[in-house]
Amino acid sequence: MTARDRGTGRGRPRVQGKAQGKAQGKGQARRTGTGLKSVAGQVFALEALIALLVIAAAVFVTFFQARSDTERDARIRSLAVAEAFAHAPGVDDALASSDPTAQLQGRAEATRRATGVDFIAVLSPSGVRYTDSEPGLIGQKATGDLSRATVDGESFTELFHGAPNDAVRAVVPVYDDGGRLVGMVSSGIEVESISHAVQGRLPLLVGVAGGALAAAVGGAALVSRRLRRQTHGLGPAEMTRMKEHHEAVLHAVREGVLIMDADHRLLLANDEARRLLGLTAEAERRHVSELGLDPRTVELLESGRSATDEVHRAGDRLLAVSVRPTLQHGSESGCVMTMRDTTELAAVTGRAAVARGRLQLLYEAGVRIGTTLEVVRTAEELAEVAVPRFADFATVELLEPVLRGEEPPEGAAASTEMRRTALSGLRPDQPLQPVGDTVHFDVRSTPMAKALNAGHAVVEPELAAAEGWRAQDPEGAAQALAYGMHSLLTVPLLARGVVLGMANFWRADTPEPFGEEDLSFAEELAARAAVAIDNARRFTREHAMAVTLQQSLLPRVLPEQSAVEVAYRYLPAKAGVGGDWFDVIPLPGARVALVVGDVVGHGLHAAATMGRLRTAVHNFSTLDVPPDELLGHLDELTGRIENGDTGSAAGEARRRDEGITGATCLYAIYDPASGLCQVASAGHPGPALVAPDGQVRFPELSPGLPLGLGLGDVPFESMELWLPEGSKLVLFTDGLLEDHGRDIDTGLGLLRSTLARPDRSPEQTCADVLATLLSPTPRDDIALLVAETRLLDRNRIAEWEVPRDPSAVSPVRNAAAAKLSEWGLDGLAFTAELILSELITNAVRYGADPVRVRLLHDRTLICEVSDGSSTSPHLRHAAATDEGGRGLYLVAQYAERWGTRYARRGKTIWAELRVGTNGDEPTATMVVPDLDALEDLAW
């Protein structure tokens, strides 16, 4: 930091302190009347300014004169030193020697110290330094114009600016005896040294200037003080303005002013004060107690306290009075009292305050009524808003159809009974009928019946005089009157011109009865509440319809199957029914398909879309294809459904309003014979797998894209899982995990901790999961499916590899018959052998290797014949002359069900026989050859 920087930093606090001092002085000047606006202040400021300018100019001139003198002395001294050294004996010989530096450096330094100059440098004719006070510069060429010495041969002085330092220097040429220039001598004093010399005189100059300024300011202060005493600190303009203000206060201002002295005597009363207080001209100099003022006003003036807008009486007027002391800090102080007439303003203000309060209450009603889409809660909010700011008690009665969400009857105005839905009051011990009671209006002269018939609010200022109200329920009316109920305002709740119910407002503790001015407010309040109640009613109806539709589309009873033990839960959202669904579908081969899906959006359309998708999954499952292929078919169908719905403006608007943007689905096929489970997802969260020991994991499925996005060219992917017996496969929708303030990761953590408890049935698992993750008001539908896996007993499975030789059919058929006898199914032997003969024979003849036969003993007997060919047989009716063509016809006749499913390579033809029957023998009209002959027949 430079000296200049430090000086600047030190100067800032001084400036701030001066500013604060000036501010304080100015505040003191205002209090004592010596401000610049006064004549005394202006004279003082002018004299001080003139003195400051004169002294500043003197210091400035003196400073620069001193600097000029110092610089002139530096020139003379530098030239004298340079000339003396240049003409010193032996200098010219030293310059002509081979090493001028060695001979002259010491002499130059001694001369510099002796003469007090800052530097002496001996230069060559070309300006190269032989000697210098700074040894590092020896050998360097001196800067600046030296031609006056080298060319003109004259000695000169100059103010040099350049390296190494700015200085006043003198340059003197040196000649030998022959008159030849052999060198130059440069001597000088640095500018910094000159500045230090000048600055050394500054304290003296500042001291002299300060003394002169103090003397000048003191003289100005003496003159100003004397002038202030003569003018009281006021100038001509202020004196004139003061006179004008005095006249205005006395005669023109429409606000009363009283000025009292320290003895509480009246000094001044303007015309308005005389008018308001009835004072005469002789009132001045009298004590306040003698002016005939109101005792409260006299007490206020004598107390010496301040007041702001206190209301005091003056005859039949109401005055807003303010009092302030005349001297804020004086011990002996008078006071000033101002007053204005507020008689009419008070009445207007009271009415305005009531109107403002009513508007504020209506605003609050708009915010507080209808926060939920529940009819009962909306009625309760109406009663809570009205108490206590409008009524002491409020009741709301609604028609029964409205409470159920149904359309109110057209003749609701003539209805004679309603259900009390809400009640609010200042005290709990009220005599009114409780919530839930039926309220009757049998007497047509009651205020309620009148309001219903007229369609607008009716006020009963005095309940004691309301004969119809008392006749409706004499005992209840007597209790209400004894309790203090004295006024009633009843208003019908109308929406779209139809009566929904009644709102009744009662007053007991408030002494003022309801009046005609309360009718419009009550009707506005009831109208806002009626709209909210009607919205809640319609939402209730639509929600009930959507729930009914959705429940009708969901499975009511799960089908019987042996692969898994299943438990499920389905909960619709409170805000609006969505499109979540689940399903359990038995598949051939004792397998089962587990499905869970979610239509994005809410409302009837989402529920209907869910129903269509569930039906489509059932239909596609009959194709018996892997999960990824089934989702591909479902995606294509969903795209057609959505495109069909959006083909019109109405369909597009419905999708936009209901937020339907697609659907997700998880499809799993579990095979109890192998324990393998194939799973594929279309944008749906993957399942949770719970091992028999309670370990929980979430397999990382390929999530796929949601259904119906028009991205059918992106294939779905299946994952194959092996599940030990007793494992639990948990399928769910995202509504179970995500909820208010909880993201999906938090939900997965809660689900994991809840599932990690072994030895529980699927039913117990469902209950525990919902108890942990379910919120009181779920914002989305929840579908939960828990399936505990089972494995088919290996003793109930029989498999054979069949060579591609027709003669191999009979041994396999016999082995199958023996296995059926082992299982105790002798009654099915003939039918099973017939079916196996047909299926194996045609697989050997027309199929491809490998050919396999499998029997499964489950709820049914399942016969499966697989081969490596993808060609599928077709059922046809052979003519009487055809030698073949009856094979599948016989299979269809004797089997409970039959079909074909395709694998990645080859196909499987299966047939199911009902266990517990002896099989159907051929009828007399059906010609059935023996089993060996059947092997020769074609499809």
Side-chain angles (χ1 to χ4, degrees):
M1 181 181 290
T2 64
R4 178 175 299 175
D5 294 334
R6 291 194 297 270
T8 303
R10 290 194 300 268
R12 289 177 180 172
R14 295 194 191 101
V15 172
Q16 184 177 5
K18 291 180 181 180
Q20 292 175 350
K22 290 180 180 179
Q24 295 173 358
K26 187 178 291 184
Q28 185 67 19
R30 291 193 185 99
R31 291 193 296 270
T32 59
T34 60
L36 292 178
K37 293 184 178 180
S38 66
V39 174
Q42 292 175 1
V43 170
F44 172 78
L46 181 60
E47 290 183 357
L49 180 60
I50 293 174
L52 179 62
L53 292 177
V54 171
I55 294 171
V59 171
F60 180 80
V61 171
T62 303
F63 176 79
F64 279 94
Q65 183 63 41
R67 183 179 180 87
S68 177
D69 293 343
T70 303
E71 184 178 337
R72 184 174 65 252
D73 292 343
R75 287 176 181 269
I76 295 172
R77 185 147 55 102
S78 299
L79 182 59
V81 172
E83 287 182 342
F85 191 87
H87 297 102
V91 173
D92 54 346
D93 294 336
L95 288 172
S97 67
S98 61
D99 190 2
T101 302
Q103 299 184 29
L104 297 177
Q105 176 66 17
R107 295 177 60 184
E109 280 300 295
T111 303
R112 181 185 66 79
R113 289 192 293 270
T115 58
V117 296
D118 291 333
F119 64 89
I120 296 177
V122 180
L123 312 175
S124 69
S126 62
V128 178
R129 293 184 177 90
Y130 289 143
T131 69
D132 199 273
S133 57
E134 296 183 13
L137 298 176
I138 296 175
Q140 298 183 12
K141 188 174 183 180
T143 58
D145 186 9
L146 303 176
S147 62
R148 294 174 62 184
T150 58
V151 178
D152 299 337
E154 63 178 32
S155 301
F156 67 92
T157 61
E158 66 177 352
L159 182 60
F160 171 74
H161 297 282
N165 294 301
D166 296 345
V168 174
R169 76 176 178 180
V171 181
V172 177
V174 180
Y175 297 93
D176 60 7
D177 295 338
R180 183 172 60 86
L181 180 68
V182 293
M184 293 174 286
V185 177
S186 174
S187 174
I189 299 173
E190 295 180 356
V191 173
E192 185 177 357
S193 299
I194 297 173
S195 299
H196 288 324
V198 175
Q199 290 174 358
R201 302 181 185 179
L202 278 178
L204 178 60
L205 290 176
V206 172
V208 173
L213 182 60
V217 172
L222 291 175
V223 174
S224 175
R225 183 176 180 182
R226 183 174 181 83
L227 186 59
R228 184 178 66 251
R229 286 198 299 267
Q230 293 178 354
T231 62
H232 297 286
L234 297 176
E238 276 125 348
M239 296 293 290
T240 303
R241 191 177 302 111
M242 182 177 179
K243 176 64 175 175
E244 294 174 351
H245 290 175
H246 181 75
E247 293 296 329
V249 170
L250 284 178
H251 307 296
V253 172
R254 305 313 300 170
E255 187 173 76
V257 178
L258 291 182
I259 300 178
M260 319 297 294
D261 62 10
D263 296 330
H264 310 302
R265 293 185 179 275
L266 179 62
L267 294 180
L268 176 68
N270 69 350
D271 294 347
E272 182 67 9
R274 295 177 185 275
R275 184 184 70 85
L276 295 176
L277 300 177
L279 301 179
T280 62
E282 293 78 14
E284 292 186 1
R285 304 307 303 174
R286 290 186 179 182
H287 196 272
V288 294
S289 60
E290 301 173 0
L291 299 179
L293 303 179
D294 184 76
R296 288 185 63 246
T297 307
V298 174
E299 186 274 331
L300 173 62
L301 292 174
E302 291 180 340
S303 67
R305 65 181 178 87
S306 300
T308 301
D309 289 339
E310 287 191 6
V311 179
H312 290 254
R313 285 193 173 274
D316 57 351
R317 291 188 177 92
L318 293 177
L319 304 181
V321 174
S322 298
V323 178
R324 293 291 184 275
T326 54
L327 297 178
Q328 296 291 338
H329 305 283
S331 58
E332 295 293 333
S333 174
C335 65
V336 177
M337 183 176 77
T338 60
M339 65 200 78
R340 62 183 184 276
D341 191 354
T342 60
T343 305
E344 296 182 0
L345 181 61
V348 175
T349 302
R351 292 192 294 270
V354 173
R356 184 167 56 252
R358 296 288 173 81
L359 288 176
Q360 179 66 24
L361 186 56
L362 285 176
Y363 170 76
E364 293 181 8
V367 174
R368 294 173 54 185
I369 298 176
T371 57
T372 65
L373 290 173
E374 297 179 3
V375 175
V376 174
R377 180 56 193 154
T378 305
E380 292 173 349
E381 290 169 344
L382 169 59
E384 292 169 359
V385 165
V387 177
R389 294 167 61 181
F390 179 65
D392 298 333
F393 297 89
T395 61
V396 179
E397 293 80 41
L398 297 178
L399 295 169
E400 288 288 351
V402 175
L403 289 172
R404 296 192 299 268
E406 302 172 1
E407 286 288 340
E410 292 293 334
S415 176
T416 59
E417 67 176 42
M418 295 182 184
R419 180 75 61 185
R420 176 147 294 170
T421 310
L423 189 153
S424 179
L426 294 176
R427 290 174 285 167
D429 57 336
Q430 42 76 30
L432 302 174
Q433 290 179 257
V435 173
D437 276 13
T438 301
V439 180
H440 297 274
F441 310 123
D442 299 328
V443 180
R444 299 183 61 85
S445 59
T446 61
M448 295 78 167
K450 290 180 181 178
L452 286 173
N453 293 328
H456 58 74
V458 171
V459 63
E460 195 66 57
E462 294 293 335
L463 280 176
E467 297 294 337
W469 174 72
R470 298 176 65 181
Q472 175 68 47
D473 183 8
E475 183 179 354
Q479 292 177 359
L481 292 175
Y483 184 81
M485 298 286 186
H486 62 85
S487 186
L488 166 67
L489 194 158
T490 180
V491 56
L493 298 175
L494 299 172
R496 300 173 288 110
V498 179
V499 174
L500 305 177
M502 293 287 300
N504 299 305
F505 306 103
W506 311 77
R507 281 184 178 174
D509 297 349
T510 303
E512 294 82 8
F514 288 111
E516 296 296 327
E517 66 276 5
D518 297 317
L519 292 176
S520 58
F521 170 78
E523 290 181 343
E524 179 66 22
L525 181 63
R528 298 190 180 196
V531 172
I533 291 173
D534 192 50
N535 290 337
R537 178 196 61 78
R538 288 189 290 177
F539 173 79
T540 302
R541 179 190 60 185
E542 294 178 2
H543 186 269
M545 292 173 59
V547 169
T548 302
L549 173 62
Q550 190 175 45
Q551 290 178 347
S552 67
L553 296 174
L554 289 172
R556 298 184 179 182
V557 179
L558 295 182
E560 294 182 356
Q561 43 80 34
S562 303
V564 291
E565 180 185 352
V566 178
Y568 65 91
R569 294 290 189 277
Y570 174 78
L571 296 174
K574 295 293 184 183
V577 174
D580 293 11
W581 90 92
F582 66 91
D583 224 326
V584 178
I585 306 173
L587 297 178
R591 298 169 303 143
V592 65
L594 305 174
V595 191
V596 66
D598 184 2
V599 175
V600 180
H602 296 86
L604 291 174
H605 184 67
T609 303
M610 177 272 290
R612 288 189 282 186
L613 291 179
R614 178 172 176 260
T615 302
V617 170
H618 268 274
N619 292 334
F620 289 138
S621 67
T622 60
L623 300 176
D624 207 353
V625 295
D628 54 342
E629 293 185 24
L630 184 140
L631 291 180
H633 292 306
L634 191 63
D635 179 55
E636 181 181 359
L637 175 66
T638 306
R640 291 201 303 268
I641 291 175
E642 299 298 340
N643 291 335
D645 282 351
T646 57
S648 63
E652 182 66 29
R654 182 175 63 252
R655 281 174 52 83
R656 182 175 59 253
D657 294 340
E658 298 181 355
I660 300 172
T661 58
T664 63
C665 182
L666 182 72
Y667 190 85
I669 297 177
Y670 174 69
D671 186 357
S674 62
L676 295 178
C677 179
Q678 289 182 304
V679 186
S681 171
H684 198 86
L689 296 183
V690 185
D693 60 357
Q695 293 185 2
V696 181
R697 64 188 181 98
F698 296 94
E700 295 184 1
L701 301 180
S702 176
L705 294 172
L707 304 172
L709 296 184
L711 301 175
D713 55 337
V714 179
F716 297 97
E717 296 183 19
S718 292
M719 171 181 282
E720 191 170 74
L721 307 170
W722 182 76
L723 305 180
E725 186 172 13
S727 301
K728 293 185 180 66
L729 187 65
V730 182
L731 284 68
F732 50 86
T733 57
D734 56 3
L736 179 68
L737 304 180
E738 295 178 326
D739 208 85
H740 307 281
R742 185 177 68 202
D743 57 16
I744 192 168
D745 293 332
T746 305
L748 285 174
L750 291 174
L751 180 61
R752 180 190 297 272
S753 61
T754 305
L755 294 176
R757 282 180 281 177
D759 302 329
R760 288 181 302 172
S761 67
E763 190 68 30
Q764 292 172 332
T765 302
C766 284
D768 292 344
V769 168
L770 290 186
T772 302
L773 279 82
L774 183 63
S775 66
T777 57
R779 65 180 182 182
D780 197 4
D781 290 12
I782 295 175
L784 175 64
L785 188 67
V786 178
E788 183 174 347
T789 61
R790 298 168 179 165
L791 286 177
L792 195 60
D793 189 351
R794 299 304 302 177
N795 294 326
R796 286 173 169 255
I797 303 175
E799 296 180 287
W800 297 275
E801 189 87 17
V802 182
R804 292 288 307 283
D805 185 356
S807 63
V809 178
S810 181
V812 173
R813 187 183 68 207
N814 295 332
K819 179 60 69 173
L820 292 178
S821 178
E822 179 184 339
W823 288 344
L825 301 178
D826 296 306
L828 295 177
F830 174 80
T831 306
E833 289 184 62
L834 173 64
I835 293 174
L836 287 176
S837 295
E838 291 300 320
L839 298 181
I840 297 173
T841 300
N842 286 278
V844 169
R845 288 185 177 182
Y846 307 111
D849 285 332
V851 178
R852 295 186 177 90
V853 176
R854 185 172 74 163
L855 294 180
L856 300 176
H857 182 194
D858 190 34
R859 292 176 179 270
T860 60
L861 177 64
I862 304 168
C863 305
E864 296 181 345
V865 177
S866 304
D867 67 87
S869 172
S870 297
T871 303
S872 176
H874 297 281
L875 179 66
R876 62 189 179 91
H877 295 276
T881 58
D882 291 343
E883 295 184 0
R886 297 180 178 83
L888 277 186
Y889 179 74
L890 292 175
V891 171
Q893 288 292 316
Y894 285 97
E896 184 77 14
R897 292 192 309 158
W898 74 278
T900 305
R901 69 171 179 269
Y902 294 91
R904 301 297 180 188
R905 180 177 178 271
K907 67 179 181 297
T908 298
I909 302 178
W910 54 270
E912 291 184 3
L913 299 177
R914 185 183 302 174
V915 175
T917 63
N918 294 325
D920 294 331
E921 295 296 335
T923 61
T925 59
M926 183 182 300
V927 179
V928 179
D930 59 55
L931 296 180
D932 293 329
L934 283 174
E935 297 174 3
D936 298 329
L937 297 178
W939 290 109

